[in-house]
Amino acid sequence: MTVSMSCRWQSSFRVRWSLAALAGLVCQPAQAADAMDTLQVHGFISQAWLISDDNDLFGPSSEGGGSYQYTELGANLSFRPHPDVLVAAQVLSRRAGGEGDDLQPKLDHGVIDYEWLSNTERRLGLQLGRFKNPFGFYNQTRDMAFTRPGILLPQSIYFDRTRSLALASDGISIYNEEYLDSGTLRLQAGVGNPQAGSDLDGALGLGESPGSFEGETSYIGQLLYEHEEGHVTAALSAADVEAGYRNGKPGPGDGTFHFQPWILSLQYTEELWSLTAEYALRGIQLEDFDAPGRNTDTTGESWYVQYTRRFQENWQWLLRYDVLVNDRDDPSGTRFEAAGGGPAYTRYAKDLTTGIQWRLHPQVLLAAEYHAIEGTGWLPASDSDTLPEKYWNLFLMQASFRF
Amino acid sequence: MSSKHQGNHWRKDSPRRITEYTDSKPATLPAIMLEPVGRRASAWLARLICGALMVALFGHGLPGMAAENDVVLIANPQLAIGPLPRDTARAIFAMRQRTSPSGQALHVMVLPDAHPVHARFAKGLLDVYPHQLRLAWDRMVFSGTGQAPERVASQAEMLKQVATTPGGLGYIERGYLDDSVHVLPLAE
């Protein structure tokens, strides 16, 4: 295990050296010893097993023994070369179906954080580098099982099919916290280039074309309010994400992808239970393609309501209803089907989920969950030629370890 | 003024105050000298005496013992902090605010999540649930926006670490206190 892991992590050496170089810039020799005192290393490993009656999610889940192709490994380090400066980076290996090569570690985030001001009234600072996009309640740590209410996040908002765009941006982000009498107000706003992986090409029906999407200058922001003792949390997230499609000739030609999501998030927490809801409007435009059929302008709608109940100290029960509509103007997908685009149920998804989490040790989490799903709106694009089923059931189990 | 006395005001709504209990001790002593009248009566009396003694010794003793169990916020003696507003303490232990009101860098220490004193500290003093603190730390550590507090294994270690670490801030039961640390009262 150790040997094979060290091989896989080799490409993170480059990251480590760049970090060391960055540290050298902001770190004075006298402070080096102090900086080492602040060094922290954390990580996690998750392995899941999925089985479904129809439709494959993350590998061949609908075949005989189900799929083990959902693995998440992450490791991060952080230190303070100066009391106001935080250097933090994380590499992530993730396979969710697809090839084993997907486990190749990628830089999940890598930032230099400078806190300009911190007192009893406010906090103000900026992050430079690859920063995690503040998007809804869960996006910034979406791959770390211990921060999720279940094995799968609500797929209507945290969907896998275009996840690369949502993860992180290379650029600059500012943050501001205001400590008010009634609670805390937090603002985070960033500008940078998102990652646009091949998942985007596939999800937009350009997987077979020669070109690929590349992230272009994009904007993201979140305003979050936490009332007094943290019982009530509300957030509004917005983004204007742009990716350019290049080298598509002679097929679709070059074009541009715009993504403008708005997410309203609400949570009420008591000691033993939490009620969470998020609602998103997702504007998606494809522009400037030569092939006129490629240029589209749709608005998708997503929402979920989720109840979590803690009991027996280390157990948590989850109940959630999650709805995705790809096109608000055609919520049932009938117009899409009539126009010959494919089955109506590929344009939406309704997912009723119940699950259980058990922290049998502070570092070990076991989880199981069941989904009853109508529609395949968020099912990642597959290579298979067969049409997906409209009604399907999915069962998952996951073991996670952290350090 | 010793740090122990300073800490008595930390929680204005505390139902458990140190009370004087020496005056109630002699109340049951004459009962012991009574002659038994019969087996049933003596058994009954013995039970009564035991009960009375229990009440005298432990019932009235409870406030004093509870105070020993009270969790107090402690700081390295070099930290120049007065009473800490609860909101500020919460932001500090959530690892969002990293400096004291006077601008000194803080070094936050916590007991393990499952430690009963940790739960009592979080709920009683900060008014947050331990699972909320854990989630706040995890979200920072795994998104590159902050660091986790330093975890110490026991209250004895907490005392030692806070006393010897510049900017050290932590919590222990009052019974573990000595003069190596300051008690920080919480202000509303």
Side-chain angles (χ1 to χ4, degrees), chain B residues 6-45:
Chain B
Q6 253 182 336
N8 286 349
H9 323 285
W10 62 271
R11 208 165 71 174
K12 70 173 185 203
D13 58 343
S14 170
R16 300 181 297 211
R17 295 235 172 243
I18 296 174
T19 51
E20 300 291 329
Y21 58 91
T22 44
D23 56 343
S24 59
K25 259 186 181 170
T28 55
L29 289 179
I32 297 170
M33 296 172 227
L34 286 175
E35 286 291 319
V37 182
R39 276 180 75 97
R40 283 180 63 188
S42 68
W44 180 83
L45 199 61

Side-chain angles (χ1 to χ4, degrees), chain A residues 107-310:
Chain A
L107 181 67
D108 179 62
H109 64 254
V111 293
I112 297 178
D113 182 313
Y114 172 64
E115 198 172 86
W116 180 56
L117 186 69
S118 172
N119 58 36
T120 50
E121 282 158 17
R122 66 179 51 86
R123 185 175 168 225
L124 192 60
L126 61 86
Q127 287 203 323
L128 203 63
R130 177 168 294 179
F131 62 88
K132 295 298 281 183
N133 289 328
F135 201 61
F137 281 142
Y138 299 109
N139 190 61
Q140 287 184 310
T141 55
R142 62 189 283 162
D143 298 312
M144 202 278 179
F146 289 80
T147 66
R148 298 191 294 238
I151 300 171
L152 294 182
L153 283 172
Q155 292 292 297
S156 72
I157 291 177
Y158 305 94
F159 39 77
D160 224 68
R161 55 193 289 168
T162 56
R163 74 177 236 116
S164 63
L165 268 188
L167 293 178
S169 301
D170 295 337
I172 184 167
S173 159
I174 56 159
Y175 57 85
N176 174 211
E177 284 185 15
E178 296 286 328
Y179 306 122
L180 314 171
D181 287 341
S182 60
T184 304
L185 196 61
R186 279 184 234 170
L187 171 75
Q188 195 181 337
V191 52
N193 280 28
Q195 278 82 63
S198 54
D199 56 345
L200 186 60
D201 303 344
L204 296 174
L206 290 162
E208 302 299 314
S209 301
S212 65
F213 279 100
E214 275 168 39
E216 292 177 357
T217 306
S218 302
Y219 307 87
I220 188 153
Q222 183 181 69
L223 190 62
L224 185 143
Y225 175 72
E226 201 176 87
H227 189 63
E228 282 183 277
E229 282 115 34
H231 289 297
V232 178
T233 309
L236 185 66
S237 318
D240 185 3
V241 179
E242 195 171 312
Y245 191 76
R246 301 291 171 254
N247 305 313
K249 290 187 163 102
D254 289 356
T256 310
F257 170 75
H258 281 285
F259 181 42
Q260 284 137 341
W262 288 84
I263 304 184
L264 180 66
S265 313
L266 290 168
Q267 184 170 63
Y268 184 81
T269 295
E270 279 293 337
E271 180 168 17
L272 294 179
W273 58 272
S274 303
L275 193 63
T276 310
E278 295 196 284
Y279 174 83
L281 282 177
R282 297 170 287 108
I284 297 170
Q285 293 106 40
L286 284 167
E287 297 171 341
D288 308 329
F289 284 99
D290 294 342
R294 290 273 171 214
N295 297 318
T296 54
D297 184 351
T298 53
T299 302
E301 190 176 51
S302 312
W303 62 270
Y304 73 87
V305 178
Q306 167 184 291
Y307 174 78
T308 47
R309 179 81 165 88
R310 286 167 282 279

